Amino acid sequence: MLSRILGLLSNDISIDLGTANTLIYMRGKGIVLNEPSVVAIRQDRGPGGPRSVEAVGIAAKKMIGRTPENIQAIRPMKDGVIADFTTTEKMLQHFIRKVHHHRMFRPSPRVLVCVPCGATQVERRAIRESAAGAGARRVYLMEEPMAAAIGSGIPVDEARGSMVLDIGGGTSEVAVMSLNGIVYSASVRIGGDTFDDAITAYVRRNYGILIGEATAERIKHEIGSAYPGKELEEIEVKGRNLAEGVPRAFTLNSNEILEALQEPLHGIVSAVRTALEQTPPELGSDVAERGIVLTGGGALLRDLDRLLMEETGIPVVVADDPLTCVARGGGKVLEMIDEHGTDFLSLE
Amino acid sequence: MATDDRQDNPDTELPEGVNSSPGRLLREAREAAGMSLEALADRLHLHKATLQALEEDRFGDLPEPPYVRGYLRGCAKALEMEPEPLLQAFRASGQPAGPEEEQPPGPVRGRIESPAGLRRFSPGLLRIAIFGAILALVIAGTWSLVTGGGTDEDAPASTGTTGVQDREEAPAVTQEVPGSVAPTDALPGPIPLQASGAGDDGPLAPEGSGTGAAQAPGSEPHESGTDARGDDASGDGVPATTSGREEREGEASPGPVRMRMVFREDCWVQITDADGEDLLSGLIRAGREHRLEGKAPIRVFLGNAPGVELTFNGRRVDTASRARDDRTARFTLGSP
């Protein structure tokens, strides 16, 4: 009863609990939070000492790779699922409170969390309990590609096939939907983080220089591309020379990064090809006619749509504001739950 | 049942500031880049016919707006131009310009039972109302504890009724709330109130309970409170005080009716007919015109009532005078 009353004082939210970023969509307000899924934990008095949260989100991300011994900046999510249960719960608690900052009472909203379709029952339960532990009154789970499709605005309720490729930080999800249901879905553990790792490995292998996570991400954002472009772009970065042990500056160009990204990109293309092979022919022809919709932060990698178009031979469109599609889709579903109940979609 | 007069030719209604349609802009850019229609279609792996439809602004032959926006972006990239002018022209042609403007997909027909009256309140107001209600409950509870059993003896004395009638007192008093409001300005309770009343009485039209409540004080208030809706009476009283009013058109017109709506301004609408079917729902842009056909009585909810011209069976309905302070209006047309 008390939680219901408190619930009236909270706004329902949809959470895209991603490996790289967590986004929160609040009903009636839109995207209210977009922060890295990073928590900095302080542990004083050595191992086994009391642990406390030092920073969460943007502040914690700045600490990655720059922390003293008693602070550890960690990403509690890995490959789209929870790797560290307690820290995820703390992070969610922090984010839920942050978006309800002006409230007198502890917020107790209904929460819809989007999960990768490859998540196991154990992983789903961990996410559900983590959200409940963070103060949610009621937790709905929804598969990410469905949320991404609804968020991008494509009509999933019609008897027509729509294919969505959602490239997140830890996983890429490809799904074919029709009549509010998922006909085929697959999840590969390749995402934005894999691109960063590939760049780090390439630089170490070819230059003998070690670069950090943040530098690899910056390289990807600035000159990363998935298809050979007309112009060659360059970037100057600094890293530690493994042989000499001192920091060195060096220049990378976009063709090198394209080469570095070949392996993860190939993984994504294969997943899409497999999806097209597995799709029933009628739905496949709908997809071939209208195209694949690209969502998620990975869709922002330059010319990824071009690569997929050339590899599959069907149109590929990038959704509007691809980074927030999943969270926005979750928000729309929350509104639909109020109107139509939970029967119309496969919610858990 | 609902027919939609969508104006498919955007050339005639381009707003100020945009001097070309998306198709024309695209064709000009393509020709300037010296690229043939086939070459561009090949590059984007689109059918030539699709690209042709895009260039000729035949949006009816194209997939849904999110796809079209994606095609326009792809074309802009292939032609090495900024996508924004194309998207802006697309927006100006009356199509949804971004994710925020689109409606949530697939309303499941005939299942809208949400308490619309409550949702019209802003969350802040609702919260204040809830706080007030809780506070009032606490005060009432404390008062009854402090005064103790004295009230039990006072109550019959003030009403002057016998012990037998005492048991009927509670429903009779609560029933007077909707009853006394209804006849003064002919405003029965909100939709959820009627729906629950009708549901209990059998498969009646929503107006069944509304008219019952309106007649009640004139004839026998005790009777309607006790036999027909005794259980619902206390529940009905609450939304009647918090939610908005609903007006009815006096004219009786059973069977199918025709409505014409001309939108001078953007307006959110929900039009539901007697079968509970949504004839029109969602945000309608200024300049659109819709003709609807449905079974009377028709429930109308307008988000921006003064911006809509409404004709019901050929007769003009004054929407502006029905608008509340927040420009919304809720009324029923063609009730018997």
Side-chain angles (χ1 to χ4, degrees), chain A residues 99-210:
Chain A
V99 299
H100 285 95
H101 53 90
H102 56 283
R103 305 291 198 280
M104 282 185 283
F105 300 102
R106 192 170 68 91
S108 177
R110 283 190 309 175
V111 173
L112 186 142
V113 189
C114 303
V115 293
C117 44
T120 62
Q121 285 302 321
V122 176
E123 290 163 341
R124 281 165 200 245
R125 187 167 174 165
I127 289 177
R128 182 187 288 278
E129 288 187 0
S130 170
R137 173 168 99 252
R138 178 113 196 246
V139 185
Y140 300 102
L141 296 187
M142 187 185 192
E143 302 207 314
E144 264 169 23
M146 182 55 99
I150 293 173
S152 66
I154 59 176
V156 290
D157 55 330
E158 290 178 5
R160 296 186 78 181
S162 315
M163 184 184 271
V164 168
L165 172 62
D166 179 55
I167 305 175
T171 59
S172 294
E173 322 266 325
V174 57
V176 179
M177 280 148 290
S178 174
L179 291 170
N180 279 340
I182 292 180
V183 180
Y184 170 88
S185 73
S187 178
V188 284
R189 302 213 160 181
I190 299 171
D193 290 352
T194 327
F195 296 154
D196 298 348
D197 293 346
I199 292 172
T200 311
Y202 178 87
V203 171
R204 194 174 56 220
R205 199 167 56 236
N206 291 285
Y207 288 82
I209 290 175
L210 196 63

Side-chain angles (χ1 to χ4, degrees), chain B residues 49-330:
Chain B
T50 310
L51 199 58
Q52 213 156 14
L54 197 59
E55 287 199 349
E56 289 166 11
D57 296 322
R58 285 186 280 116
F59 299 120
D61 298 343
L62 288 167
E64 294 73 17
Y67 287 105
V68 179
R69 288 197 296 270
Y71 298 161
L72 288 174
R73 258 190 231 112
C75 289
K77 207 158 107 181
L79 299 170
E80 292 174 354
M81 63 183 280
E82 282 296 314
E84 202 42 50
L86 283 176
L87 294 172
Q88 209 173 351
F90 184 59
R91 192 179 307 145
S93 68
Q95 303 294 323
E100 290 76 20
E101 293 186 26
E102 277 161 27
Q103 300 302 313
V108 181
R109 294 189 160 228
R111 293 191 56 201
I112 300 172
E113 290 163 15
S114 55
L118 278 178
R119 255 191 289 128
R120 277 208 311 277
F121 281 92
S122 72
L125 269 177
L126 185 65
R127 272 177 214 127
I128 291 168
I130 291 164
F131 266 126
I134 294 170
L135 202 66
L137 273 175
V138 170
I139 291 170
T142 321
W143 179 253
S144 68
L145 275 177
V146 168
T147 52
T151 47
D152 285 343
E153 290 159 21
D154 292 346
S158 61
T159 50
T161 49
T162 63
V164 180
Q165 283 170 323
D166 262 357
R167 264 178 266 151
E168 292 179 359
E169 187 188 19
V173 169
T174 46
Q175 188 57 33
E176 275 172 17
V177 176
S180 60
V181 175
T184 51
D185 52 356
L187 305 174
I191 292 165
L193 177 151
Q194 297 168 348
S196 64
D200 289 341
D201 291 345
L204 288 172
E207 282 63 37
S209 61
T211 46
Q215 287 165 357
S219 51
E220 293 167 3
H222 286 267
E223 195 180 298
S224 70
T226 49
D227 58 11
R229 303 151 29 90
D231 292 338
D232 282 346
S234 56
D236 289 352
V238 179
T241 52
T242 54
S243 61
R245 55 187 187 159
E246 180 173 348
E247 291 181 25
R248 265 154 218 284
E249 208 42 18
E251 53 195 325
S253 47
V257 290
R258 286 199 177 81
M259 284 173 73
R260 180 166 159 262
M261 303 182 79
V262 182
F263 292 83
R264 288 193 309 264
E265 295 168 29
D266 292 354
C267 176
W268 195 93
V269 293
Q270 184 172 26
I271 316 278
T272 317
D273 78 351
D275 297 334
E277 186 172 358
D278 265 356
L279 302 183
L280 181 65
S281 157
L283 179 70
I284 312 294
R285 295 279 163 207
R288 293 295 180 106
E289 184 184 328
H290 286 265
R291 284 172 201 277
L292 311 171
E293 241 177 60
K295 216 164 150 189
I298 309 269
R299 288 210 306 250
V300 181
F301 176 32
L302 302 172
N304 178 16
V308 184
E309 276 177 28
L310 176 61
T311 321
F312 181 74
N313 275 350
R315 286 173 62 179
R316 176 87 185 269
V317 177
D318 187 8
T319 50
S321 68
R322 293 160 192 262
R324 290 141 42 96
D325 293 342
D326 58 357
R327 297 176 72 87
T328 62
R330 176 187 290 277

Side-chain angles (χ1 to χ4, degrees), chain A residues 41-52 54 68-71:
Chain A
I41 304 276
R42 171 187 282 272
Q43 187 164 34
D44 293 324
R45 287 182 258 151
R51 284 156 65 94
S52 61
E54 178 73 16
E69 206 172 83
N70 62 335
I71 297 177

